[in-house]
Amino acid sequence: EPEVTQTPSHQVTQMGQEVILRCVPISNHLYFYWYRQILGQKVEFLVSFYNNEISEKSEIFDDQFSVERPDGSNFTLKIRSTKLEDSAMYFCASSELGLAGEVDEQFFGPGTRLTVL
Amino acid sequence: KNEVEQSPQNLTAQEGEFITINCSYSVGISALHWLQQHPGGGIVSLFMLSSGKKKHGRLIATINIQEKHSSLHITASHPRDSAVYICAVLNYGGSQGNLIFGKGTKLSVKP
């Protein structure tokens, strides 16, 4: 069964460093998402991406964050200068393009645990 | 005020019991997801529904759009069902993303 994959599973970085989290969405999916979950808190939406551009982003997704689809399979989240409060689990998800007005189910990757020291 | 409320927050059950987890939301939605999060952190999609009822194995999800309420039922619960169950809604008129998540219900099924 196709699945969303993410690498690395755990990333440790120093405050101020740049990190890139990688995701490989399900191959025929066209919508991609990033979410984060700070330890002990609920999952929060960061950004959605479709047709090589950001479709929607939350207040959390500030100028320190960027997303890219560098090739036909990868979808990346970059944090330019990490802060302590960026420590969280980051989930990638993908969904098919639904027909007009149809919402499609999102499939989640296993997550990348980011620890900023 | 949270837009998505789940109850209970924690639930302990004996193996074999019938379990119900509730989700209420305050916004207009186009769809509701039930997700399962295991102790390792990974999230698995269980259901997406916008009306009525869906069943998959021992799991049943129902939604009442008028009452803005959904329930997830687990029949004949098993210790391997132990996980956090999360309700997430897609705001009506929103894009494909921007799911609004509940805080989750932590289920522990004892043998």
Side-chain angles (χ1 to χ4, degrees):
Chain A
E1 188 173 327
E3 58 183 18
V4 177
T5 59
Q6 289 185 243
T7 54
S9 56
H10 191 188
Q11 172 95 45
V12 180
T13 190
Q14 294 291 326
M15 191 170 58
Q17 295 295 304
E18 174 183 287
V19 294
I20 297 176
L21 309 183
R22 291 183 167 81
C23 168
V24 178
I26 294 172
S27 61
N28 64 328
H29 286 186
L30 295 176
Y31 272 95
F32 314 117
Y33 318 86
W34 283 103
Y35 297 90
R36 80 169 186 191
Q37 185 178 32
I38 294 170
L39 187 64
Q41 297 187 21
K42 62 183 179 180
V43 180
E44 300 171 290
F45 169 76
L46 291 178
V47 66
S48 59
F49 190 87
Y50 169 68
N51 200 25
N52 281 319
E53 61 182 21
I54 290 173
S55 178
E56 192 167 355
K57 61 182 181 179
S58 70
E59 293 173 354
I60 303 166
F61 195 87
D62 61 22
D63 292 343
Q64 292 298 311
F65 292 90
S66 62
V67 289
E68 194 179 26
R69 186 147 164 84
D71 54 43
S73 59
N74 289 283
F75 178 52
T76 62
L77 174 69
K78 182 194 287 187
I79 309 174
R80 286 192 187 81
S81 179
T82 50
K83 303 190 270 288
L84 294 175
E85 54 265 37
D86 292 327
S87 294
M89 188 79 129
Y90 288 81
F91 294 100
C92 173
S94 68
S95 66
E96 290 186 65
L97 175 64
L99 300 172
E102 182 181 323
V103 176
D104 279 307
E105 186 174 4
Q106 295 185 27
F107 293 85
F108 287 78
T112 292
R113 185 170 299 282
L114 176 65
T115 301
V116 182
L117 303 176
Chain B
K1 182 183 184 300
N2 288 321
E3 292 160 302
V4 180
E5 297 272 5
Q6 288 185 235
S7 64
Q9 276 188 292
N10 293 284
L11 181 56
T12 300
Q14 285 299 126
E15 183 173 356
E17 284 184 5
F18 180 83
I19 287 160
T20 296
I21 299 170
N22 296 299
C23 175
S24 297
Y25 50 90
S26 58
V27 295
I29 70 165
S30 50
L32 182 145
H33 284 65
W34 279 105
L35 308 163
Q36 181 190 54
Q37 186 169 33
H38 280 281
I43 293 176
V44 174
S45 178
L46 299 175
F47 296 102
M48 186 189 78
L49 63 167
S50 52
S51 65
K53 177 178 171 178
K54 283 190 176 180
K55 185 175 189 293
H56 185 251
R58 295 182 293 106
L59 302 177
I60 303 165
T62 63
I63 189 167
N64 184 317
I65 297 293
Q66 287 75 29
E67 294 186 4
K68 295 188 174 179
H69 181 268
S70 175
S71 293
L72 176 69
H73 306 285
I74 305 174
T75 61
S77 59
H78 190 277
R80 65 174 175 266
D81 297 327
S82 299
V84 175
Y85 291 84
I86 301 171
C87 170
V89 302
L90 185 64
N91 211 183
Y92 183 80
S95 73
Q96 285 268 345
N98 204 5
L99 288 174
I100 305 169
F101 291 76
K103 291 183 179 180
T105 294
K106 185 174 181 180
L107 172 66
S108 177
V109 181
K110 305 292 185 191

